[in-house]
Structures are given as structure tokens and as C-alpha cells.
Amino acid sequence: MASYLPSMEKVQHAVLGPRGGDKVADLQKETKEMSDKARLTTDYGVKQTSADDWLKIVNNDKTGPMLLEDPFARERIHRFDHERIPERVVHARGSGAFGKFKLFESAEDVTFAPILTDTSRETPIFIRFSTVLGSRGSADTVRDVRGFAIKFYTQEGNWDIVANNIPVFFIQDAIKFPDVIHAGKPEPHNEVPQAQTAHNNFWDFQYNHTEATHMFMWAMSDRGIPRSYRMMQGFGVNTFTLINAKGERHFVKFIFTPELGVHSLIWDEALKLAGQDPDFHRKDLWEAIENGVFPKWKFGIQVIPEADEHKFDFDILDATKIWPEDLVPVRYIGEFELNRNPDEFFPQTEQVAFCTSHIVPGIGFSDDPLLQGRNFSYFDTQLSRLGINWQELPINRPVCPVMNFNRDGAMRHTITKGTVNYWPNRFEKVKPATHEEGGYVEYAEKVAGIKARARSAKFKEHFAQAQLFWNSMSAVEKNHIINALGFELDHCEDPVVYERMVTRLADIDLGLAQTVAEMVGGEPPKEASRPNHGRKAPGLSQTEFPGSKPTIASRRIAILVADGYDQVAYSAAYAAISAGLAIPLVIGTKRSKIVAAGGAGSTTPHHHLEGFRSTMVDAIFIPGGVDSIRALSKNGRALHWIREAFGHLKAIGATGEAVDLVNKAIGLPAVSVSESAEVQDSYGVVTMRETKPGSLSEAVDIVKGGAGFMEKFFHNIAQHRCWARELDGLHSQVAY
């Protein structure tokens, strides 16, 4: 994807540090560069003279039959027919990138794993983001859980954290995994709906599994429709263990918090983007890295000493429960960055394979029953998709030495010299490693119990944390959850499904249940199934993660123009947006050259108003110019752009004559506009009617309360949305 930043040179792939480039160097062994010097060959190395015609019987007047003897044509068709491998059963739709992990605080008090204790290291990583339910051809912006899987290529072997953007899961025991996925996938009789949970079977499952109550509240929240992969938190979900040099064990959860903050789409925006730009998230990730705005996350751990395992009113091994941060604070000890796009999607992003069972010395498993099942399942999955030698694929192989007695199998690459392929052997070759040599040694946990298909008592409480989540939401987030449930249950045609789900919501909050019941046609409950305990916890609301600093970096900002636009305002805005490492996108009434007022300049738009929509940008700016604004005022799509951006709570900036256009499009008395050279900021609509030389600064310091036009406009963009519009009901008064 081409960069939209003409003023910025393409950022070269980063050198990842002293050891950080190990994986890049490893992949170079398999990397080929195409050039005009290269010549077309078969897979077996013979140069070909044509790739256009199958060998056939011909004469000057007639084309006869093709010959089966043509090995070149047969190879091309043979290779094409077998290009596809089975897509993932879940997480089929994804995108990924390379990067590096850096530790800035040693966790040697809880683990001896060098990746978490050696602050001098930089470890190469590959991350794959994904949706869960949809096929490879589904859209990016559907409501769904997102995968957030990290492969650390450590010097001790590969360590995988197979994470999600939601910290809990629908089920407690892995044996239920086929059921929850079957229920969420398209219904079996007609294979619809694709990549959606808005159907009878999914919500029937939710009602019949009270343990899923906490999770579906997260999925119905704004976390289910992230603005960007770069703006998602990541959670390891399962409980792992850390072992320190003294042999002491701690339970641990892993958390990743984005530097840009945790932000989401508006539901109407997500719906439209699914049709307008179904690749929105993968383009967004690629574009940011190409333009040198490398996404970063803080890497955190929550730890509980083994002696404290049973001191909580929930079971810490239950994957449907969080560890509330007021009880178990997050300790941020490192950060990771994505800074290199893949060279080819299939061999890297599609063939990368993760396993929860990939751990390194100093890190171990807990008795989390969901984790135990995942450890079995992921190996099985890779066999089905990639074959027995899947760990030899370049993207999956570790950067440290690999030596064992595993042999043969389909697509074996490794050639191991020698006369023995077993242990023990008479040469004492390839001995098992000792603990001192870095060998993995399982923690000597004492286990006592009986064989039974059962769960402990604390696993049977399913509603307290769903209430905790609901109570911790802001007013805006609560409204979004209500609307999400209203949408989903409205798509359930079976009254049994939506009527029963209304009663389930009463297990969380009576007001929530009554409001949703009114929306979807269920019988509103008259009393709560159980009292809401009223407790809240930090770290659950997205509003607590605004970003480490106000920035417009990597945000897309549309500049709307027609012939006769104000060149001074346009140039100043374009330069300031570029200087802020945001992406200026010129949107015109046409894509051919547009001339400024008085012939003072010209621009060739990136897109025209019908080819691109406001859903694809984070903010819009409209410079003045009498003729430009006259043309835009008569253009229904231009008016729709402004109204839709307003309805989606995005920052809108206008100068000169454009102030009247914005005022006309929005048409709400509550939104005031500038009448002079003074800058007016009203509900994220920033206007300045009279522009003078120097009034539009190209160097902008983004601070709250900035006096200048660009300062106020950029500050609103950095806030992601103007939530006051929604809280005051203005967004619903404009048709979009």
C-alpha cells in the first residue's frame, strides 16, 4: 500500500538492535528479490520461453488440441490448484507484522526466564492480529473478539503468548470449545450469517451457559469494534506461572496496553466500513508502519504468589474471570514495537503458527482447565493446516539452535548428518540438557484429588464479575452496550432466544434488562434476578486509556476541496498535519487536478467524494474559498460527509467561507461557529471565519486549552471522539 505522506521518505526496515535482527537475518535465507535481470524458470530450475501459451497443435488457420506432455503448463496449473491450505477454524481473518521486545525492568524476583530478566536484550517478535469467527474473506470491522498472538524468538527458544483483546473467555473448560465456536459460526442449515454473533444459535448458547455472561458483556462493549489493531489492549487470558531462581512459583497474567490508547469505532461506522473498506484494519496497520509511525505497547504482568492462590472470592484459574487491578495491580516491565511489514503475506502471516504450549525455562503452566485444553488443541490445529514439520517453516523456526531425533514426515527440510537417530546412543550424541545448561524443568507441584468430571465451587459463580464490568463502564459505554445488545437480539427471530436473554440480563442489572427488553420485544422483568453488588474496578473502562500523550500521529485527516479553494489555509493545514505525522488525504469533487482561488496553486486529490467516505478518516478539515464552498454546498455527498463525521463524533475544522458550509450541514443551534478571527471550539467543531497570515500555525503543540486554530483542532483529534455530542444527544439529531 502506497504511503499517503509525499513529504516523508519511506522508512527503511528497522535494524532491531544487537540481537533483534536475528529473525530478519534468518528469514533472508529464504527471501528472493525479483528484478528485471531475473528470468522465468520452473520450480525445478529450467528457464521458460513462454508463460502465455500451452504447447498445442497449430497451423496458420487453426488452433488444435493442447498437449498433455507440456511440463511447464502442467506445473503452473498444478501449483495454482494447490495454492490454498485449510484456513484456520477460528482466527482465519488476520494480519501481522515484525517488531522487537525490550525489557526495561527485570522481573527476576518472580522468574529466571532471561527474556523477563535480561534488560540488555532486544528480542525479535512477530504479532498476528485477527478476528475470531469470520472466514478469511470476511470484513475487518465486524463485532467480534480480536486475536493478539505474539511469537517471541528468544535465545532459549520460541515463546508464544496467544492473546485476545478481551481478558476473559466464554467458557471455563476446553471441552466446550467446539460448542461455543459452532454456536457462533454461521448456522449449519444455510451458512449464514458470516462473521456475526447476531443470530439465534449464538445467543441460545449464551443463555444456556451462565459462565459466558461476563464475556458477552465485554464482546458487546466497544472492545468488540476496535478503531485499529494499534489501539487494542492485549490479554493472555489464561493463567500461567513464573518460577524464580529460588524455585518459588507465582501465578501470572500478561497484559499489553497500547501507547496510542484504547479506542473503538462507532457501531454505524463499523457497519459501513465492512462494505466500504473491508480491509480497514489490515490497511491501517500496514500504513502506519510504512509511514514510520511504529505502534507500541507496554508489556505488563499481574502476579499472585502461590501461597495466595485461594485468597480471592473467585478462582484465579478461571478464564471467565479477570484479576481486578485494585486487587492485583499491573506491573509494566517492558514494551514492544512493530516496525517491519511482512515481505509476503502467505509464507509469513498466513503460515505463522502459535501454540500456548510454547514456553521457555522460567515460565510454566497452571491448572487452568481452558489452558490445559488449548495446549493440546493448538498442536493438533497446526498439523491439520501445515503438516507435521510446521515448525520448520521459516516464520515459525526459532533463531536458537535446534537439535533432536525427530525425523522425516511430509515436507521435511532439515538434513541431519550422522549414524544415529535415537537416545540413548553409544556415541552419547545430543544428550538431554541439564537445568544448569538451560534445560526446561517442570515445577514440582504437589497434586492430590480424585478423577471426576467436575469443577470446584468457585468456578460455579458466574455473575459477580459481569456486574463489576457493567458498573465500571462510563455512561457512553453503557449506552453502547445497550445498543449492541439491542442490535444483536433484534436479529434473533426465535422469541425463545431473545426473551430468555432478557431474563439473563436481569442477573446483571435490572435497568439494563428492562431497557433491552423494550428494544427487542421481550417481556421487561419487574425485579432483578439477583442484587447488583455495586462494586467497580479500575482498568475496565476504555476511558481510562486515552494514550500516553496527545498526538495525531498516524490519524487520517481528510481535506475537502473544490475548484477555488483557499490555498493559504489548505497549504498550512496540509503542512501541519504532515508535520504531526498524521496522514493528510485530499478529497475533491473530482480526482483530477483542482485549482485554487485566483490560480494561486493546485492539487490533485487522493480520492473524490464518492470514492472515499468519512468513515475512513479520523477528522475532516475544510478550507474556505468562495467558489469551492459554493460547489461543496451544492454537493449532497459533501454535506453528507460533514453530517456523518459529526454523527460519528469526529473532529471537524473549517476556516473562512467553509464555516457557513459546516453550519448549514449540521444545522444545530447548540453548535456555535466563529463570527470573526476568534477561534470557536463547540462540541469538537473548530471554526475560524477570518484567517490572516500566520493564523494557521504549521508547528503545533497539542495541549488542552491551546489558543490557535490548529492547536484546538488537533487536540480534538487526539481525544479520538467528542463524546459530549453523544452525551448531549446532538449526534442523533443529524441525519447521516
Side-chain angles (χ1 to χ4, degrees), residues 1 9 35 41 52 85 87 113 182 184 201 258 277 299 302 307 376 383 387 400 406 447 524 534 566 688 720:
M1 184 176 180
E9 294 184 5
S35 75
T41 77
D52 299 313
I85 61 174
E87 69 174 37
H182 285 172
N201 283 1
D277 191 356
F299 178 90
Q302 287 179 290
F376 173 85
L383 288 177
C400 63
N406 294 338
V447 179
D566 179 351
M688 182 170 64
H720 182 62

Side-chain angles (χ1 to χ4, degrees), residues 368-474:
D368 174 345
L370 185 66
L371 174 61
Q372 296 283 323
R374 292 179 82 190
N375 286 347
F376 173 85
S377 176
Y378 280 71
F379 265 119
D380 219 31
T381 295
Q382 313 312 346
L383 288 177
S384 174
R385 293 187 62 244
L386 302 171
I388 190 62
N389 284 303
W390 60 273
Q391 302 215 64
E392 287 195 339
L393 292 171
I395 190 63
N396 295 322
R397 68 188 176 207
V399 296
C400 63
V402 173
M403 180 60 70
N404 55 47
F405 298 111
N406 294 338
R407 293 291 186 272
D408 307 340
M411 307 303 290
R412 177 72 170 177
H413 286 63
T414 300
I415 300 168
T416 308
K417 298 195 298 184
T419 60
V420 293
N421 55 2
Y422 55 89
W423 175 262
N425 59 68
R426 63 190 181 277
F427 306 106
E428 294 197 351
K429 290 186 176 180
V430 193
K431 301 177 183 178
T434 65
H435 178 62
E436 291 71 26
E437 292 172 323
Y440 191 92
V441 178
E442 284 73 17
Y443 179 76
E445 178 187 7
K446 184 177 180 180
V447 179
I450 60 170
K451 284 185 178 181
R453 296 186 185 275
R455 304 178 195 181
S456 60
K458 287 183 180 178
F459 269 69
K460 297 175 183 177
E461 198 294 306
H462 300 150
F463 302 110
Q465 289 207 350
Q467 293 178 342
L468 186 75
F469 180 77
W470 171 254
N471 297 342
S472 302
M473 294 295 98
S474 66

